[in-house]
Amino acid sequence: MRLDVGAAAKWKLVKVPADSEWVVYRHKLSRKHYCLLIFPRRDTSCFLSLIPDAVPLSSLTLPGTHDTMAFYGWPIAQCQSPSTSLERQLNAGIRVLDIRLAIVDSHLISYHGIYPERTLFAEILSTVYTFLTTPSTSRETIVMSIKQEDSDTERFSKLVHQEIVTSPGGLGMWYLENRLPTLGEVRGKVVMFSRFGTDGHGWDNAAIGIHPSIWPDNDRHGFTWNCQDVLVQTHDWYTIPSFLSIPEKVALSTNILVASCDSSPPTLSISFLSALSLPLAFPPIFARGLGWPQWGIGFEGVNARVGKWLIDQFDERGENDVDTGPRIRGWVLMDFYEDPTGQSIVPLLVECNFRGRKCEEGWA
């Protein structure tokens, strides 16, 4: 439902009963008049079950977390709150995991750069297995990016394979083709996105999942690569000059999410909202902001700005029409995904999947 409102609206989340079927945002026009945006409240733990099998993963909006297991090392290495366990993330709607690992005593353990993040890869695999085999969430899928944080390339790849084989579900739970599948092909499975290895040595048919051909470090304007017939455009500019560059960061990371109605070739957008600026502005500050920006003291963080951008897209493009409304598509990875408190952008990203639908994407 949409009630017209002019540009530059300042939307606020309206408090509604906990059992309400609706999420409501409002914009104040005058002392007694408001405009409203109303969305259905969706169960983020199983939202993919509402999407047809024929929809390709490249046509989905999937919320993700940057450095998913980086719960420690505040303020530089920490990217997620310790209260947001992997299980909590999955139930909140996070579907793209950014798992970074290093070898410690012949085991893989989560790391962020040189900082140990303590969780064993085996524990991560167990949590994912439990989520995907629970009846209420068994029709979901998870994209897992695995990035190597040490230098022993051959041994790392071997250990990833070994720990997956011996984990609950084994290799049978994984999609390992270097191709973007349809949702129906990977329900109940983990889609590997490998940022390790080169030739797949030691893996069956040398298959290590979706494997980017390039990944330039800290590219301000992003880069593109091909996964079979899909063009993948990626934004991963993470070291920015200062907090004054937040508007530019937000613009670059959201622009690639606006999908064309006639995308040829098919396109997948991957956008990292994460950022830092040494020596004073670290991931928590960039994600959450600082001070009281509504009173002109401090500045607004990336997450809040992206949330406002998403609502503006729904308003300006007419979200009431599920076929011709906003087409926001891509995999979006963020730090401190629950912030701003009580106004996480994950439900807004989930809602994007149900706007601007096209039959050629697999919707009947």
Side-chain angles (χ1 to χ4, degrees), residues 153-183:
T153 302
E154 184 174 345
R155 189 173 176 221
F156 183 91
S157 181
K158 181 179 179 180
L159 275 175
V160 171
H161 182 271
Q162 176 182 309
E163 296 204 15
I164 289 176
V165 167
T166 58
S167 71
L171 281 175
M173 182 165 275
W174 288 73
Y175 176 85
L176 296 175
E177 293 184 41
N178 189 15
R179 174 179 65 86
L180 271 301
T182 62
L183 181 56

PDB file of all heavy atoms in Angstrom, residues 153-183:
ATOM      1  N   THR A 153      48.172 -22.257   0.161  1.00  0.00           N
ATOM      2  CA  THR A 153      47.054 -22.434  -0.765  1.00  0.00           C
ATOM      3  C   THR A 153      46.651 -23.888  -0.944  1.00  0.00           C
ATOM      4  O   THR A 153      45.470 -24.240  -0.843  1.00  0.00           O
ATOM      5  CB  THR A 153      47.422 -21.839  -2.138  1.00  0.00           C
ATOM      6  OG1 THR A 153      47.742 -20.457  -1.963  1.00  0.00           O
ATOM      7  CG2 THR A 153      46.265 -21.961  -3.101  1.00  0.00           C
ATOM      8  N   GLU A 154      47.606 -24.769  -1.216  1.00  0.00           N
ATOM      9  CA  GLU A 154      47.280 -26.168  -1.498  1.00  0.00           C
ATOM     10  C   GLU A 154      46.696 -26.856  -0.273  1.00  0.00           C
ATOM     11  O   GLU A 154      45.693 -27.581  -0.358  1.00  0.00           O
ATOM     12  CB  GLU A 154      48.527 -26.914  -1.976  1.00  0.00           C
ATOM     13  CG  GLU A 154      48.250 -28.352  -2.375  1.00  0.00           C
ATOM     14  CD  GLU A 154      49.475 -29.031  -2.974  1.00  0.00           C
ATOM     15  OE1 GLU A 154      50.430 -28.328  -3.337  1.00  0.00           O
ATOM     16  OE2 GLU A 154      49.457 -30.274  -3.064  1.00  0.00           O
ATOM     17  N   ARG A 155      47.304 -26.633   0.882  1.00  0.00           N
ATOM     18  CA  ARG A 155      46.824 -27.267   2.110  1.00  0.00           C
ATOM     19  C   ARG A 155      45.455 -26.720   2.500  1.00  0.00           C
ATOM     20  O   ARG A 155      44.593 -27.454   2.990  1.00  0.00           O
ATOM     21  CB  ARG A 155      47.842 -27.036   3.231  1.00  0.00           C
ATOM     22  CG  ARG A 155      47.555 -27.839   4.488  1.00  0.00           C
ATOM     23  CD  ARG A 155      48.679 -27.694   5.479  1.00  0.00           C
ATOM     24  NE  ARG A 155      48.391 -28.369   6.732  1.00  0.00           N
ATOM     25  CZ  ARG A 155      48.672 -27.870   7.922  1.00  0.00           C
ATOM     26  NH1 ARG A 155      49.274 -26.677   8.021  1.00  0.00           N
ATOM     27  NH2 ARG A 155      48.385 -28.534   9.009  1.00  0.00           N
ATOM     28  N   PHE A 156      45.230 -25.437   2.284  1.00  0.00           N
ATOM     29  CA  PHE A 156      43.951 -24.817   2.633  1.00  0.00           C
ATOM     30  C   PHE A 156      42.815 -25.476   1.851  1.00  0.00           C
ATOM     31  O   PHE A 156      41.803 -25.875   2.421  1.00  0.00           O
ATOM     32  CB  PHE A 156      43.998 -23.321   2.345  1.00  0.00           C
ATOM     33  CG  PHE A 156      42.744 -22.577   2.730  1.00  0.00           C
ATOM     34  CD1 PHE A 156      42.615 -22.016   3.985  1.00  0.00           C
ATOM     35  CD2 PHE A 156      41.686 -22.436   1.829  1.00  0.00           C
ATOM     36  CE1 PHE A 156      41.458 -21.337   4.358  1.00  0.00           C
ATOM     37  CE2 PHE A 156      40.532 -21.765   2.180  1.00  0.00           C
ATOM     38  CZ  PHE A 156      40.420 -21.218   3.449  1.00  0.00           C
ATOM     39  N   SER A 157      42.980 -25.583   0.556  1.00  0.00           N
ATOM     40  CA  SER A 157      41.945 -26.176  -0.279  1.00  0.00           C
ATOM     41  C   SER A 157      41.665 -27.618   0.133  1.00  0.00           C
ATOM     42  O   SER A 157      40.505 -28.059   0.185  1.00  0.00           O
ATOM     43  CB  SER A 157      42.367 -26.127  -1.753  1.00  0.00           C
ATOM     44  OG  SER A 157      41.384 -26.683  -2.595  1.00  0.00           O
ATOM     45  N   LYS A 158      42.713 -28.340   0.458  1.00  0.00           N
ATOM     46  CA  LYS A 158      42.563 -29.735   0.880  1.00  0.00           C
ATOM     47  C   LYS A 158      41.774 -29.825   2.176  1.00  0.00           C
ATOM     48  O   LYS A 158      40.901 -30.697   2.331  1.00  0.00           O
ATOM     49  CB  LYS A 158      43.948 -30.358   1.049  1.00  0.00           C
ATOM     50  CG  LYS A 158      43.922 -31.833   1.468  1.00  0.00           C
ATOM     51  CD  LYS A 158      45.336 -32.390   1.589  1.00  0.00           C
ATOM     52  CE  LYS A 158      45.314 -33.848   2.021  1.00  0.00           C
ATOM     53  NZ  LYS A 158      46.700 -34.402   2.148  1.00  0.00           N
ATOM     54  N   LEU A 159      42.055 -28.914   3.118  1.00  0.00           N
ATOM     55  CA  LEU A 159      41.359 -28.949   4.409  1.00  0.00           C
ATOM     56  C   LEU A 159      39.894 -28.540   4.269  1.00  0.00           C
ATOM     57  O   LEU A 159      39.028 -29.083   4.962  1.00  0.00           O
ATOM     58  CB  LEU A 159      42.068 -28.039   5.411  1.00  0.00           C
ATOM     59  CG  LEU A 159      43.248 -28.652   6.163  1.00  0.00           C
ATOM     60  CD1 LEU A 159      43.933 -27.608   7.038  1.00  0.00           C
ATOM     61  CD2 LEU A 159      42.786 -29.824   7.021  1.00  0.00           C
ATOM     62  N   VAL A 160      39.609 -27.569   3.401  1.00  0.00           N
ATOM     63  CA  VAL A 160      38.208 -27.199   3.169  1.00  0.00           C
ATOM     64  C   VAL A 160      37.432 -28.421   2.685  1.00  0.00           C
ATOM     65  O   VAL A 160      36.347 -28.735   3.190  1.00  0.00           O
ATOM     66  CB  VAL A 160      38.095 -26.038   2.150  1.00  0.00           C
ATOM     67  CG1 VAL A 160      36.636 -25.825   1.754  1.00  0.00           C
ATOM     68  CG2 VAL A 160      38.672 -24.757   2.727  1.00  0.00           C
ATOM     69  N   HIS A 161      37.994 -29.107   1.706  1.00  0.00           N
ATOM     70  CA  HIS A 161      37.353 -30.308   1.165  1.00  0.00           C
ATOM     71  C   HIS A 161      37.180 -31.360   2.256  1.00  0.00           C
ATOM     72  O   HIS A 161      36.099 -31.945   2.420  1.00  0.00           O
ATOM     73  CB  HIS A 161      38.201 -30.864   0.020  1.00  0.00           C
ATOM     74  CG  HIS A 161      37.613 -32.061  -0.649  1.00  0.00           C
ATOM     75  ND1 HIS A 161      37.863 -33.354  -0.213  1.00  0.00           N
ATOM     76  CD2 HIS A 161      36.779 -32.177  -1.721  1.00  0.00           C
ATOM     77  CE1 HIS A 161      37.226 -34.208  -0.983  1.00  0.00           C
ATOM     78  NE2 HIS A 161      36.556 -33.532  -1.903  1.00  0.00           N
ATOM     79  N   GLN A 162      38.233 -31.594   3.014  1.00  0.00           N
ATOM     80  CA  GLN A 162      38.220 -32.630   4.042  1.00  0.00           C
ATOM     81  C   GLN A 162      37.166 -32.341   5.111  1.00  0.00           C
ATOM     82  O   GLN A 162      36.410 -33.238   5.520  1.00  0.00           O
ATOM     83  CB  GLN A 162      39.609 -32.726   4.684  1.00  0.00           C
ATOM     84  CG  GLN A 162      39.721 -33.700   5.846  1.00  0.00           C
ATOM     85  CD  GLN A 162      41.119 -33.682   6.439  1.00  0.00           C
ATOM     86  OE1 GLN A 162      42.114 -33.808   5.718  1.00  0.00           O
ATOM     87  NE2 GLN A 162      41.203 -33.507   7.757  1.00  0.00           N
ATOM     88  N   GLU A 163      37.090 -31.102   5.559  1.00  0.00           N
ATOM     89  CA  GLU A 163      36.155 -30.771   6.642  1.00  0.00           C
ATOM     90  C   GLU A 163      34.710 -30.781   6.158  1.00  0.00           C
ATOM     91  O   GLU A 163      33.796 -31.088   6.920  1.00  0.00           O
ATOM     92  CB  GLU A 163      36.542 -29.441   7.283  1.00  0.00           C
ATOM     93  CG  GLU A 163      37.895 -29.497   7.965  1.00  0.00           C
ATOM     94  CD  GLU A 163      38.075 -28.446   9.062  1.00  0.00           C
ATOM     95  OE1 GLU A 163      37.069 -27.852   9.494  1.00  0.00           O
ATOM     96  OE2 GLU A 163      39.227 -28.237   9.487  1.00  0.00           O
ATOM     97  N   ILE A 164      34.488 -30.450   4.892  1.00  0.00           N
ATOM     98  CA  ILE A 164      33.128 -30.548   4.348  1.00  0.00           C
ATOM     99  C   ILE A 164      32.718 -32.009   4.224  1.00  0.00           C
ATOM    100  O   ILE A 164      31.596 -32.387   4.588  1.00  0.00           O
ATOM    101  CB  ILE A 164      33.039 -29.837   2.980  1.00  0.00           C
ATOM    102  CG1 ILE A 164      33.129 -28.314   3.175  1.00  0.00           C
ATOM    103  CG2 ILE A 164      31.732 -30.198   2.283  1.00  0.00           C
ATOM    104  CD1 ILE A 164      33.140 -27.532   1.868  1.00  0.00           C
ATOM    105  N   VAL A 165      33.621 -32.852   3.724  1.00  0.00           N
ATOM    106  CA  VAL A 165      33.318 -34.281   3.548  1.00  0.00           C
ATOM    107  C   VAL A 165      32.931 -34.921   4.877  1.00  0.00           C
ATOM    108  O   VAL A 165      32.005 -35.744   4.944  1.00  0.00           O
ATOM    109  CB  VAL A 165      34.520 -35.009   2.927  1.00  0.00           C
ATOM    110  CG1 VAL A 165      34.354 -36.527   3.026  1.00  0.00           C
ATOM    111  CG2 VAL A 165      34.698 -34.599   1.470  1.00  0.00           C
ATOM    112  N   THR A 166      33.620 -34.549   5.955  1.00  0.00           N
ATOM    113  CA  THR A 166      33.377 -35.187   7.257  1.00  0.00           C
ATOM    114  C   THR A 166      32.299 -34.468   8.070  1.00  0.00           C
ATOM    115  O   THR A 166      31.987 -34.889   9.186  1.00  0.00           O
ATOM    116  CB  THR A 166      34.679 -35.235   8.077  1.00  0.00           C
ATOM    117  OG1 THR A 166      35.195 -33.903   8.242  1.00  0.00           O
ATOM    118  CG2 THR A 166      35.720 -36.093   7.378  1.00  0.00           C
ATOM    119  N   SER A 167      31.726 -33.403   7.540  1.00  0.00           N
ATOM    120  CA  SER A 167      30.694 -32.652   8.266  1.00  0.00           C
ATOM    121  C   SER A 167      29.325 -33.275   8.064  1.00  0.00           C
ATOM    122  O   SER A 167      29.134 -34.077   7.138  1.00  0.00           O
ATOM    123  CB  SER A 167      30.673 -31.200   7.772  1.00  0.00           C
ATOM    124  OG  SER A 167      30.153 -31.131   6.454  1.00  0.00           O
ATOM    125  N   PRO A 168      28.343 -32.935   8.895  1.00  0.00           N
ATOM    126  CA  PRO A 168      26.975 -33.425   8.668  1.00  0.00           C
ATOM    127  C   PRO A 168      26.489 -33.005   7.278  1.00  0.00           C
ATOM    128  O   PRO A 168      26.645 -31.872   6.871  1.00  0.00           O
ATOM    129  CB  PRO A 168      26.161 -32.721   9.763  1.00  0.00           C
ATOM    130  CG  PRO A 168      27.146 -32.379  10.818  1.00  0.00           C
ATOM    131  CD  PRO A 168      28.437 -32.086  10.095  1.00  0.00           C
ATOM    132  N   GLY A 169      25.943 -33.951   6.537  1.00  0.00           N
ATOM    133  CA  GLY A 169      25.472 -33.661   5.183  1.00  0.00           C
ATOM    134  C   GLY A 169      26.516 -33.886   4.120  1.00  0.00           C
ATOM    135  O   GLY A 169      26.187 -34.169   2.962  1.00  0.00           O
ATOM    136  N   GLY A 170      27.799 -33.762   4.493  1.00  0.00           N
ATOM    137  CA  GLY A 170      28.892 -34.000   3.554  1.00  0.00           C
ATOM    138  C   GLY A 170      28.813 -33.161   2.294  1.00  0.00           C
ATOM    139  O   GLY A 170      28.144 -32.125   2.245  1.00  0.00           O
ATOM    140  N   LEU A 171      29.492 -33.622   1.246  1.00  0.00           N
ATOM    141  CA  LEU A 171      29.503 -32.904  -0.028  1.00  0.00           C
ATOM    142  C   LEU A 171      28.134 -32.875  -0.696  1.00  0.00           C
ATOM    143  O   LEU A 171      27.852 -31.999  -1.520  1.00  0.00           O
ATOM    144  CB  LEU A 171      30.516 -33.538  -0.986  1.00  0.00           C
ATOM    145  CG  LEU A 171      31.986 -33.192  -0.782  1.00  0.00           C
ATOM    146  CD1 LEU A 171      32.854 -34.008  -1.731  1.00  0.00           C
ATOM    147  CD2 LEU A 171      32.241 -31.698  -0.996  1.00  0.00           C
ATOM    148  N   GLY A 172      27.278 -33.843  -0.323  1.00  0.00           N
ATOM    149  CA  GLY A 172      25.960 -33.902  -0.931  1.00  0.00           C
ATOM    150  C   GLY A 172      25.091 -32.695  -0.642  1.00  0.00           C
ATOM    151  O   GLY A 172      24.108 -32.458  -1.343  1.00  0.00           O
ATOM    152  N   MET A 173      25.441 -31.926   0.376  1.00  0.00           N
ATOM    153  CA  MET A 173      24.661 -30.741   0.723  1.00  0.00           C
ATOM    154  C   MET A 173      25.149 -29.513  -0.036  1.00  0.00           C
ATOM    155  O   MET A 173      24.572 -28.438   0.078  1.00  0.00           O
ATOM    156  CB  MET A 173      24.728 -30.496   2.233  1.00  0.00           C
ATOM    157  CG  MET A 173      23.918 -29.310   2.717  1.00  0.00           C
ATOM    158  SD  MET A 173      23.659 -29.305   4.494  1.00  0.00           S
ATOM    159  CE  MET A 173      22.229 -30.361   4.606  1.00  0.00           C
ATOM    160  N   TRP A 174      26.180 -29.658  -0.845  1.00  0.00           N
ATOM    161  CA  TRP A 174      26.798 -28.501  -1.482  1.00  0.00           C
ATOM    162  C   TRP A 174      26.547 -28.476  -2.989  1.00  0.00           C
ATOM    163  O   TRP A 174      26.574 -29.510  -3.658  1.00  0.00           O
ATOM    164  CB  TRP A 174      28.306 -28.513  -1.237  1.00  0.00           C
ATOM    165  CG  TRP A 174      28.631 -28.177   0.192  1.00  0.00           C
ATOM    166  CD1 TRP A 174      28.444 -28.989   1.282  1.00  0.00           C
ATOM    167  CD2 TRP A 174      29.183 -26.956   0.679  1.00  0.00           C
ATOM    168  NE1 TRP A 174      28.858 -28.339   2.418  1.00  0.00           N
ATOM    169  CE2 TRP A 174      29.315 -27.096   2.087  1.00  0.00           C
ATOM    170  CE3 TRP A 174      29.596 -25.775   0.074  1.00  0.00           C
ATOM    171  CZ2 TRP A 174      29.826 -26.089   2.884  1.00  0.00           C
ATOM    172  CZ3 TRP A 174      30.112 -24.762   0.865  1.00  0.00           C
ATOM    173  CH2 TRP A 174      30.223 -24.911   2.254  1.00  0.00           C
ATOM    174  N   TYR A 175      26.349 -27.272  -3.498  1.00  0.00           N
ATOM    175  CA  TYR A 175      26.290 -27.031  -4.942  1.00  0.00           C
ATOM    176  C   TYR A 175      27.665 -26.509  -5.343  1.00  0.00           C
ATOM    177  O   TYR A 175      28.100 -25.445  -4.873  1.00  0.00           O
ATOM    178  CB  TYR A 175      25.205 -25.999  -5.257  1.00  0.00           C
ATOM    179  CG  TYR A 175      25.141 -25.608  -6.716  1.00  0.00           C
ATOM    180  CD1 TYR A 175      24.410 -26.357  -7.632  1.00  0.00           C
ATOM    181  CD2 TYR A 175      25.827 -24.482  -7.185  1.00  0.00           C
ATOM    182  CE1 TYR A 175      24.348 -26.000  -8.967  1.00  0.00           C
ATOM    183  CE2 TYR A 175      25.771 -24.113  -8.517  1.00  0.00           C
ATOM    184  CZ  TYR A 175      25.034 -24.876  -9.402  1.00  0.00           C
ATOM    185  OH  TYR A 175      24.980 -24.519 -10.724  1.00  0.00           O
ATOM    186  N   LEU A 176      28.357 -27.247  -6.215  1.00  0.00           N
ATOM    187  CA  LEU A 176      29.760 -26.962  -6.500  1.00  0.00           C
ATOM    188  C   LEU A 176      30.028 -26.582  -7.955  1.00  0.00           C
ATOM    189  O   LEU A 176      31.190 -26.458  -8.350  1.00  0.00           O
ATOM    190  CB  LEU A 176      30.618 -28.178  -6.121  1.00  0.00           C
ATOM    191  CG  LEU A 176      30.626 -28.553  -4.639  1.00  0.00           C
ATOM    192  CD1 LEU A 176      31.396 -29.835  -4.407  1.00  0.00           C
ATOM    193  CD2 LEU A 176      31.221 -27.421  -3.790  1.00  0.00           C
ATOM    194  N   GLU A 177      28.985 -26.366  -8.756  1.00  0.00           N
ATOM    195  CA  GLU A 177      29.214 -25.950 -10.137  1.00  0.00           C
ATOM    196  C   GLU A 177      29.589 -24.478 -10.198  1.00  0.00           C
ATOM    197  O   GLU A 177      29.139 -23.670  -9.383  1.00  0.00           O
ATOM    198  CB  GLU A 177      27.956 -26.190 -10.981  1.00  0.00           C
ATOM    199  CG  GLU A 177      27.591 -27.639 -11.174  1.00  0.00           C
ATOM    200  CD  GLU A 177      26.400 -27.797 -12.100  1.00  0.00           C
ATOM    201  OE1 GLU A 177      26.349 -27.060 -13.126  1.00  0.00           O
ATOM    202  OE2 GLU A 177      25.527 -28.623 -11.811  1.00  0.00           O
ATOM    203  N   ASN A 178      30.393 -24.131 -11.207  1.00  0.00           N
ATOM    204  CA  ASN A 178      30.756 -22.730 -11.430  1.00  0.00           C
ATOM    205  C   ASN A 178      29.700 -22.101 -12.342  1.00  0.00           C
ATOM    206  O   ASN A 178      29.955 -21.722 -13.480  1.00  0.00           O
ATOM    207  CB  ASN A 178      32.136 -22.638 -12.064  1.00  0.00           C
ATOM    208  CG  ASN A 178      32.649 -21.211 -12.121  1.00  0.00           C
ATOM    209  OD1 ASN A 178      32.126 -20.318 -11.456  1.00  0.00           O
ATOM    210  ND2 ASN A 178      33.672 -20.976 -12.922  1.00  0.00           N
ATOM    211  N   ARG A 179      28.491 -22.005 -11.794  1.00  0.00           N
ATOM    212  CA  ARG A 179      27.339 -21.535 -12.542  1.00  0.00           C
ATOM    213  C   ARG A 179      26.295 -21.022 -11.562  1.00  0.00           C
ATOM    214  O   ARG A 179      26.154 -21.561 -10.461  1.00  0.00           O
ATOM    215  CB  ARG A 179      26.764 -22.696 -13.370  1.00  0.00           C
ATOM    216  CG  ARG A 179      25.470 -22.406 -14.095  1.00  0.00           C
ATOM    217  CD  ARG A 179      25.001 -23.625 -14.894  1.00  0.00           C
ATOM    218  NE  ARG A 179      24.649 -24.757 -14.054  1.00  0.00           N
ATOM    219  CZ  ARG A 179      23.440 -24.926 -13.499  1.00  0.00           C
ATOM    220  NH1 ARG A 179      22.489 -24.031 -13.674  1.00  0.00           N
ATOM    221  NH2 ARG A 179      23.192 -26.005 -12.770  1.00  0.00           N
ATOM    222  N   LEU A 180      25.560 -19.960 -11.946  1.00  0.00           N
ATOM    223  CA  LEU A 180      24.487 -19.458 -11.095  1.00  0.00           C
ATOM    224  C   LEU A 180      23.258 -20.333 -11.296  1.00  0.00           C
ATOM    225  O   LEU A 180      22.689 -20.354 -12.393  1.00  0.00           O
ATOM    226  CB  LEU A 180      24.160 -18.001 -11.436  1.00  0.00           C
ATOM    227  CG  LEU A 180      24.919 -16.877 -10.711  1.00  0.00           C
ATOM    228  CD1 LEU A 180      24.730 -16.957  -9.208  1.00  0.00           C
ATOM    229  CD2 LEU A 180      26.392 -16.885 -11.066  1.00  0.00           C
ATOM    230  N   PRO A 181      22.826 -21.066 -10.285  1.00  0.00           N
ATOM    231  CA  PRO A 181      21.697 -21.987 -10.437  1.00  0.00           C
ATOM    232  C   PRO A 181      20.351 -21.280 -10.244  1.00  0.00           C
ATOM    233  O   PRO A 181      20.293 -20.098  -9.862  1.00  0.00           O
ATOM    234  CB  PRO A 181      21.929 -22.983  -9.301  1.00  0.00           C
ATOM    235  CG  PRO A 181      22.534 -22.129  -8.216  1.00  0.00           C
ATOM    236  CD  PRO A 181      23.413 -21.127  -8.936  1.00  0.00           C
ATOM    237  N   THR A 182      19.286 -21.999 -10.498  1.00  0.00           N
ATOM    238  CA  THR A 182      17.963 -21.527 -10.098  1.00  0.00           C
ATOM    239  C   THR A 182      17.751 -21.909  -8.629  1.00  0.00           C
ATOM    240  O   THR A 182      18.432 -22.801  -8.094  1.00  0.00           O
ATOM    241  CB  THR A 182      16.850 -22.161 -10.937  1.00  0.00           C
ATOM    242  OG1 THR A 182      16.860 -23.584 -10.726  1.00  0.00           O
ATOM    243  CG2 THR A 182      17.039 -21.854 -12.418  1.00  0.00           C
ATOM    244  N   LEU A 183      16.802 -21.244  -8.018  1.00  0.00           N
ATOM    245  CA  LEU A 183      16.529 -21.520  -6.609  1.00  0.00           C
ATOM    246  C   LEU A 183      16.115 -22.976  -6.403  1.00  0.00           C
ATOM    247  O   LEU A 183      16.523 -23.623  -5.423  1.00  0.00           O
ATOM    248  CB  LEU A 183      15.436 -20.566  -6.103  1.00  0.00           C
ATOM    249  CG  LEU A 183      15.024 -20.693  -4.644  1.00  0.00           C
ATOM    250  CD1 LEU A 183      16.224 -20.550  -3.718  1.00  0.00           C
ATOM    251  CD2 LEU A 183      13.962 -19.644  -4.309  1.00  0.00           C
TER     252      LEU A 183
END
